[in-house]
Amino acid sequence: MMMKQQQHQQQQKQHIAIFTTASLPWLTGTAVNPLFRAAYLAKDGQRRVTLVIPWLTLNHQLLVYPNNITFASPSHQEAYVRRWLEDRVSFPLGFELLFYPGKFATDKRSILPVGDISDAIPDEEADIAVLEEPEHLTWFHHGKKWKTKFNYVIGIVHTNYLEYVKREKQGRLKAFLLKYLNSWVVGIYCHKVIRLSDATQEYPKSIVCNVHGVNPKFLEIGLKKLEQQKLQEQPFTKGAYYIGKMVWSKGYKELLKLLKKHQKELAGLEVDLYGSGEDSEEIKEAARKLDLTVNVYPGRDHADPLFHNYKVFLNPSTTDVVCTTTAEALAMGKIVVCADHTSNEFFKQFPNCRVYDDGKGFVRATLKALGEQPSQLTEQQRHELSWEAATQRFISASDLNRLSRADSNLSKRSLFASSSISVGKNLEDMSAYIHFLASGFETSRTAFGAIPGSLQPDEELCKDLGLTLKTPSRSSLKED
C-alpha cells in the first residue's frame, strides 16, 4: 500500500527532463549551467528532474575534453560529473543523469546529437522538456515531435549563433539563412522560449530573462573579500585580468584592439590573460607586439585561488549572451569593465559593473577601476547572482507553477508519438513533417552541416549506451 502511494506521488510530480549540448569535463556554459539548473530544481524534492547529456565515443572525447580526460563508460563520466558538482554545492543531489548519443563536429567546435535523442525519456515518463540551446538540439532532429512527446517544451537560448556566423566567410549570407532555420525549428519544437538576454536572436512568443546563477564557490570567495573590506584589510593586491576560451571571437580581438589603440593613455598598465584554445599562439604573438605588459597564461578554473586577489576584470566581448565569467567576477567582489551591450544588461544593476561605449570610455573606466576599491555587495545583490534566485526566475518565466502534470496530460496528442508519421492539418504539423522528411536524408542533412552518419547511432555508440543498433531506413541512404 505504501509503495503504491509513493508511486502515485511520483507520478503526480512534474517530471522535468533537461537536455543540453555539452558535458563536463568540458567547462563550457552549456555543460555547467544546465547541471546547476538540474541540481537546484530538484533541491526541494517537489519535482522529479532528469538531466540528459551527450555521450561521446573515445575518439570524440579526445577531440573535446581537456587534459586528455576520457571515460570508459557513461557510469564513469556520471561519477565524474556528480563529484564535480558535489564539491560546489552543499546539499544532496536529487536528480537523475542520463546520456544521449552525440558526435563532436570539429568545424563547428560543437557536440551534435545523433539519432532521436528524445528517446532517452520513455514516452510514458515524458512530461516537461527543457532544451538548452533548442536550435542546436533540433537543427538535425529526425524523430518524434518534441511538442507531442512532451506536454510542455521550454527552450533556453544560450548562444548568439548569428554573431559567430557573421565573422565567417560569406558570413552575412550564412547568418541570414541561419536566422530563418533557427526560427523554423524553434517554432516547431518549443512551446515557450526564454532568451538569456537581448543579445540573442529574437523568436516569436519569447521572453528575455537571465535564468543563470553563479557557482556558489564564487559567492563564498566574495564573502571572504567582503570580510576583509570590513576589517579595512587590502582584499585585492593584483590589477587587471581577463579569462576566457582563447579564440579571437571570445573578446580577445576587441581587448587587444583597445589596448593597442590606447597604449599611450594606458601606459604602465599590466594585464594578465588566461585561456586555452585554437587561437592561443596568434593571441600570444599579438600581445607581444604591444608596448604594454600583457601576460598570456593557460586557462584555469576561475575559482582558482590565483584569481582571488585581482581587482579588475576586463571583458570587452560582445559575442556572449550573458557572460558567466562576468557574473563570477562580480560575485567575487571585483570591479568589471565591460562594453555597453545588451548582453551586459543584467549586470548593470550592480555598482561594480562599469560600462563603456567607446575606446575613450574604456580607458576612463579601466583607470578609474584600478584607482579605487570595489563597492561592497549587499545581501540582495549577492542573492540576485545566486542559483536560488536564477531558479525562481526560471520557474516564473517558464510558468512551471501554473502547469500541473494532471492538467498537462489532458493536452497530450498522439500525432508523431509513434514511429508512423502522419501529416497534420495545421501549418505547424505540416512544417514539422517537412523538417522530418528533410532531416531523414543523408545528403540533405550533410548539405546543411550535419555530421555524416549521424542519423542513427553507430555500433560503437550503441554498445556504449546499451542501445539497439538500427538498420538505416531507405530515406537515410545516400542517393546515387
Side-chain angles (χ1 to χ4, degrees), residues 320-472:
D320 290 300
V321 172
V322 173
C323 184
T324 302
T325 49
T326 293
E328 291 167 351
L330 288 169
M332 287 190 282
K334 305 179 190 301
I335 297 174
V336 171
V337 176
C338 59
D340 188 5
H341 186 260
T342 52
S343 62
N344 295 318
E345 199 64 37
F346 177 80
F347 303 123
K348 290 180 182 179
Q349 65 183 293
F350 301 98
N352 289 330
C353 177
R354 314 290 172 80
V355 297
Y356 64 88
D357 53 16
D358 57 21
K360 290 181 179 179
F362 171 78
V363 172
R364 283 195 303 271
T366 300
L367 294 178
K368 188 171 186 289
L370 289 167
E372 62 187 33
Q373 288 302 313
S375 300
Q376 297 179 13
L377 290 182
T378 65
E379 190 173 335
Q380 180 58 35
Q381 288 165 346
R382 286 167 40 75
H383 176 71
E384 283 299 304
L385 291 166
S386 72
W387 266 105
E388 284 86 357
T391 303
Q392 287 307 310
R393 290 194 295 267
F394 171 73
I395 290 170
S396 175
S398 58
D399 297 321
L400 280 185
N401 282 341
R402 297 183 186 180
L403 186 75
S404 70
R405 175 141 195 179
D407 292 339
S408 63
N409 277 335
L410 297 174
S411 66
K412 198 106 172 181
R413 297 184 301 165
S414 59
L415 181 66
F416 283 79
S418 67
S419 57
S420 59
I421 307 300
S422 60
V423 180
K425 292 181 180 180
N426 62 55
L427 184 60
E428 183 183 291
D429 286 339
M430 179 66 78
S431 189
Y433 183 65
I434 292 169
H435 185 256
F436 177 84
L437 291 177
S439 62
F441 288 92
E442 186 70 20
T443 46
S444 58
R445 290 172 64 85
T446 52
F448 281 99
I451 300 172
S454 62
L455 185 57
Q456 299 291 349
D458 58 29
E459 187 175 356
E460 191 176 1
L461 277 168
C462 287
K463 182 181 176 183
D464 288 349
L465 292 169
L467 303 173
T468 302
L469 183 64
K470 296 181 182 179
T471 305

Side-chain angles (χ1 to χ4, degrees), residues 194-215:
I194 299 172
R195 297 158 54 211
L196 295 178
S197 78
D198 268 324
T200 60
Q201 176 181 335
E202 289 188 26
Y203 292 94
K205 300 177 183 178
S206 67
I207 61 169
V208 174
C209 183
N210 176 19
V211 294
H212 287 176
V214 298
N215 178 337

Side-chain angles (χ1 to χ4, degrees), residues 7 56 179 190 202 246 249 294 317 359 381 391 441 443 450 477:
Q7 288 175 344
L56 302 175
K179 179 181 178 181
C190 294
E202 289 188 26
M246 205 160 276
S249 61
V294 179
S317 175
Q381 288 165 346
T391 303
F441 288 92
T443 46
L477 298 176

Side-chain angles (χ1 to χ4, degrees), residues 170-292:
Q170 295 184 313
R172 292 200 172 276
L173 175 60
K174 288 181 181 178
F176 175 80
L177 296 173
L178 184 61
K179 179 181 178 181
Y180 285 96
L181 174 61
N182 287 349
S183 294
W184 184 35
V185 294
V186 171
I188 291 170
Y189 296 121
C190 294
H191 294 99
K192 185 92 173 184
V193 179
I194 299 172
R195 297 158 54 211
L196 295 178
S197 78
D198 268 324
T200 60
Q201 176 181 335
E202 289 188 26
Y203 292 94
K205 300 177 183 178
S206 67
I207 61 169
V208 174
C209 183
N210 176 19
V211 294
H212 287 176
V214 298
N215 178 337
K217 292 290 184 187
F218 294 102
L219 290 166
E220 291 173 15
I221 295 165
L223 263 183
K224 291 176 184 175
K225 293 297 177 185
L226 183 60
E227 290 303 315
Q228 288 178 302
Q229 284 177 300
K230 288 179 177 177
L231 293 171
Q232 296 188 326
E233 296 177 1
Q234 184 67 270
F236 301 104
T237 57
K238 297 180 181 178
Y241 77 108
Y242 177 63
I243 181 173
K245 185 178 179 183
M246 205 160 276
V247 292
W248 283 113
S249 61
K250 281 289 187 181
Y252 288 95
K253 181 178 180 180
E254 291 86 351
L255 180 56
L256 290 174
K257 185 178 179 181
L258 284 165
L259 294 177
K260 182 179 180 181
K261 187 174 180 180
H262 301 282
Q263 292 181 88
K264 289 183 179 179
E265 302 101 299
L266 295 170
L269 175 68
E270 186 170 335
V271 180
D272 295 337
L273 309 180
Y274 293 88
S276 302
E278 306 91 274
D279 299 329
S280 294
E281 291 306 313
E282 289 183 18
I283 290 168
K284 285 179 187 175
E285 184 60 30
R288 276 195 290 267
K289 292 178 180 178
L290 298 177
D291 294 334
L292 299 171

